[in-house]
Amino acid sequence: MARPRKCRMISSMPTSEGFVPIGGGCDRSRTITMTVEEYEAIRLIDLKGLNQEECAASMEVSRPTVTNIYDSARKKLADALVNEKILLVEGGDFNYSSENRKTGKLTEGNNNMKIAVTYENGQIFQHFGHCENFKVYNVEDGKIVSSEIENANGSGHGALAGFLKDKGISTLICGGIGGGARIALAEAGIKLFGGVSGEADAAAEALVSGKLQYNEDPQCSGHGEGHNCGGHGEDHNCGGHGHGEGGCGHRC
């Protein structure tokens, strides 16, 4: 029986969902995907200046594992830069460091409400802006009484907050989320619990019971200043961002 892979601990999520070569358009046939733990290894070693032993300690894995993760990340980064490919940052086997997590619970007066969870195959979908389905839980007297799956009908980053508001959602549980989307949710009066992974049903139950572990600032939260990706509707429509001719410098 194969030994299960251990989740790599992540201090913060990527600040962008990916990058697009300027002038390269948004051709998805030329795409490379870097996992979140590969991104973390690059961040810790190349940006923060940690050695591989320190990186391994931070990610709570062995030194050889970090070496493999780091080598894979560097090759993908080089391939994306030299061959002008779209670089996406998503997926992998990871969890958040305990110091970046808090316990979420419903506040007094919120015993009757609707909770939405980004949803895919029973799990919490990790990229809010590209979520196609939400599982909506109806809470009455502090207990989940029913649930249903709602399709977002192709809504983009900026439209998803409005979609949820129209459905009467007051609380959202998700994984990574962009800064523009967080602002839109706040303006819609929707409380956010980000940086959550695992089973959607379990997360909703944990929130209701006051035991949900979440990241107060998941950091996938901000695509960077000036990178509000609201209102795309279609994936990778990179026009009109003000990044100069040829499209934007990140994945939309």
Side-chain angles (χ1 to χ4, degrees):
M1 182 175 178
R3 183 178 180 180
R5 288 172 58 121
K6 180 180 179 181
C7 283
R8 289 74 186 235
M9 301 306 295
I10 303 299
S11 298
S12 63
M13 286 290 288
T15 55
S16 293
E17 294 178 21
F19 302 88
V20 175
I22 295 176
C26 293
D27 181 3
R28 292 205 62 158
S29 66
R30 296 175 57 80
T31 299
I32 290 179
T33 299
M34 177 182 290
T35 65
V36 173
E37 61 263 29
E38 288 173 339
Y39 168 92
E40 179 76 346
I42 291 286
R43 187 184 73 84
L44 292 176
I45 296 173
D46 289 337
L47 181 63
K48 297 296 184 181
L50 273 62
N51 60 40
Q52 291 195 13
E53 289 184 357
E54 294 168 331
C55 180
S58 177
M59 297 179 69
E60 298 185 11
V61 295
S62 67
R63 165 68 181 275
T65 297
V66 161
T67 298
N68 291 336
I69 294 172
Y70 180 65
D71 287 348
S72 175
R74 291 290 295 269
K75 289 177 181 178
K76 290 178 180 180
L77 185 58
D79 190 7
L81 291 174
V82 174
N83 295 315
E84 299 180 354
K85 296 181 179 179
I86 295 173
L87 176 66
L88 309 181
V89 185
E90 59 185 27
D93 298 314
F94 65 93
N95 206 337
Y96 292 98
S97 300
S98 58
E99 62 266 24
N100 293 325
R101 303 186 72 82
K102 292 192 174 183
T103 300
K105 59 182 177 181
L106 302 181
T107 58
E108 186 176 353
N110 281 29
N111 288 329
N112 299 300
M113 61 187 298
K114 285 186 176 182
I115 301 170
V117 181
T118 51
Y119 186 81
E120 184 178 57
N121 298 324
Q123 302 293 307
I124 299 171
F125 186 67
Q126 288 300 302
H127 290 288
F128 172 78
H130 300 284
C131 184
E132 296 181 357
N133 296 294
F134 293 86
K135 192 163 186 179
V136 177
Y137 300 83
N138 296 293
V139 179
E140 295 180 6
D141 297 325
K143 296 181 180 180
I144 295 174
V145 296
S146 63
S147 64
E148 58 187 338
I149 296 175
E150 296 280 359
N151 185 273
N153 298 316
S155 300
H157 290 66
L160 284 175
F163 168 82
L164 294 174
K165 183 178 181 179
D166 289 344
K167 295 293 181 181
I169 305 302
S170 60
T171 302
L172 172 70
I173 299 172
C174 69
I177 183 168
R182 293 179 69 180
I183 293 172
L185 289 170
E187 291 176 344
I190 299 173
K191 184 172 178 59
L192 172 66
F193 293 90
V196 184
S197 60
E199 295 182 356
D201 290 351
E205 290 285 358
L207 179 60
V208 171
S209 63
K211 298 177 182 179
L212 179 67
Q213 296 294 308
Y214 74 103
N215 192 325
E216 188 175 44
D217 184 11
Q219 296 283 327
C220 185
S221 58
H223 293 271
E225 294 298 328
H227 291 274
N228 181 352
C229 292
H232 284 294
E234 299 292 334
D235 281 352
H236 299 95
N237 177 7
C238 293
H241 282 286
H243 292 276
E245 296 182 3
C248 61
H250 70 295
R251 184 192 184 205
C252 301

